[in-house]
Amino acid sequence: IKEKQITDENRDFFEKSRVKSSYSFPILYQNELLGNFTIDFTQKIVRLSDEEINRIRNMCTQAGIALYHAALYEDAQKCFQDRKSFILEYSEKIKEPTDEILDSAKLLSQNEFERSIQIEYLNTIISACDQLLKLTKDLSDE
């Protein structure tokens, strides 16, 4: 580090930590700073070669890509879990009216009932269908 670049805060840090020399490399992905990779030498002043610096920069580039992909993966997992929870929730809401429709329809098709009982079963079917339509409307509004 050139003397002009050293602030009092940096100087205090180096003196307290007994750092003799230090290199700091940004970890970037698509020009976004994700972090820093810092190497501190406490035993002696070390000057890295251009080849070593380039190798470390390449590692930092790879680290930036890996961190970005890890964040993408985490987001994808969260979306998957949210979707799974959503589907489970709506499956439970759909199950009851669907069962009512099926049970009423089976009873109507297998037995002869008085007109009043037929109307009761048909009203159950209509009510359950209305519940399902409301659920689908709620889904399309979200």
Side-chain angles (χ1 to χ4, degrees), residues 105-123:
K106 285 177 186 175
L107 286 170
L108 279 172
S109 69
Q110 294 172 355
N111 298 306
E112 288 189 27
F113 293 103
E114 295 178 10
R115 178 109 173 103
S116 62
I117 294 175
Q118 289 176 352
I119 290 171
E120 187 180 319
Y121 285 134
L122 289 171
N123 283 335

Side-chain angles (χ1 to χ4, degrees), residues 61-110:
T61 298
Q62 294 301 316
I65 293 168
L67 288 170
Y68 178 77
H69 285 135
L72 280 180
Y73 179 77
E74 188 177 306
D75 290 347
Q77 287 295 97
K78 184 182 180 314
C79 287
F80 175 76
Q81 288 301 323
D82 290 348
R83 181 176 170 258
K84 186 176 177 181
S85 297
F86 175 80
I87 289 171
L88 286 172
E89 178 186 336
Y90 265 84
S91 293
E92 285 300 313
K93 289 180 179 181
I94 290 169
K95 185 178 180 182
E96 184 181 334
T98 303
D99 286 343
E100 288 178 2
I101 292 168
L102 287 173
D103 291 345
S104 297
K106 285 177 186 175
L107 286 170
L108 279 172
S109 69
Q110 294 172 355

